[in-house]
Amino acid sequence: MNAQIELTSIAMSKNDPTITKLDKYDIEANIEEVDNGENLSVFKYGFTALSNPKNVRLAIEGIARISGDSEERNEILEKDENDVPKILTMIYHELFPTFFLLSKNLNVSCPPHVIGSMGNLDISNTDVFQNSQSQTIVDAVLDSDSKQSDTVTNSDVSDVENNDVIQPTV
């Protein structure tokens, strides 16, 4: 099975700039199957994290393409022990770094990293996770940037046959 998660919309808002610590987040999730072929299922999803007290709103929408045989795709639609469809857990897991960065951009506590533990959030443990996770994310971004810069500096641009076409590097 292969999953491709695409973002189509990201929104964030913060009503009170002085609040940085939140008690918990209420996560609203929805998913709708828009196409089901022989080897591919396409789903439209949406996640909205609303803080409690109601100050912060983080929303992400997108498309998930799940390819594989029908048994694998049916298995991912089943619910887990927390009564959450496995596909929502998988998508949320892929989206968590985006939620993390959005919350850090707003200078607030991050939503929980596991969708099944929404009501069992302990903020003190989350802060420890956020600090270690933020360092991991920063290290990964810096490592990725250094690898890209090595690739760009080691390539010889004079060997390109058609100088009219420029390949962008991201």
Side-chain angles (χ1 to χ4, degrees):
M1 181 183 73
N2 186 18
Q4 179 184 5
I5 311 299
E6 297 177 13
L7 296 176
T8 58
S9 173
I10 297 176
M12 62 183 186
S13 64
K14 183 178 178 183
N15 296 333
D16 184 357
T18 60
I19 295 177
T20 58
K21 206 96 151 122
L22 303 170
D23 292 333
K24 73 174 203 169
Y25 280 91
D26 296 321
I27 306 293
E28 297 175 8
N30 61 48
I31 191 159
E32 175 186 346
E33 187 172 28
V34 293
D35 189 20
N36 189 359
E38 188 175 320
N39 294 319
L40 178 71
S41 294
V42 180
F43 300 90
K44 184 177 180 181
Y45 67 84
F47 288 93
T48 302
L50 298 170
S51 67
N52 191 359
K54 303 233 184 284
N55 179 45
V56 174
R57 180 180 180 272
L58 308 171
I60 299 176
E61 294 179 348
I63 304 288
R65 290 179 173 79
I66 310 297
S67 58
D69 64 27
S70 61
E71 286 181 19
E72 289 176 323
R73 290 183 288 140
N74 287 337
E75 183 180 318
I76 200 162
L77 296 175
E78 295 173 0
K79 294 183 178 184
D80 63 11
E81 62 276 354
N82 295 322
D83 205 31
V84 176
K86 293 177 183 177
I87 189 167
L88 282 178
T89 303
M90 180 193 67
I91 294 170
Y92 185 81
H93 179 74
E94 291 291 320
L95 296 177
F96 178 75
T98 305
F99 277 118
F100 179 83
L101 292 174
L102 291 175
S103 65
K104 289 303 163 192
N105 192 35
L106 292 175
N107 193 29
V108 295
S109 301
C110 183
H113 68 284
V114 178
I115 196 169
S117 66
M118 297 301 171
N120 305 327
L121 179 61
D122 180 7
I123 291 296
S124 60
N125 290 341
T126 303
D127 289 339
V128 171
F129 173 76
Q130 288 175 357
N131 291 335
S132 65
Q133 185 71 9
S134 64
Q135 187 60 45
T136 304
I137 291 172
V138 168
D139 291 344
V141 169
L142 292 175
D143 187 44
S144 172
D145 286 345
S146 68
K147 287 180 182 176
Q148 284 183 345
S149 64
D150 288 346
T151 304
V152 171
T153 56
N154 290 337
S155 64
D156 189 5
V157 178
S158 63
D159 290 342
V160 177
E161 292 178 15
N162 185 356
N163 291 331
D164 294 337
V165 178
I166 298 175
Q167 294 283 335
T169 56
V170 180

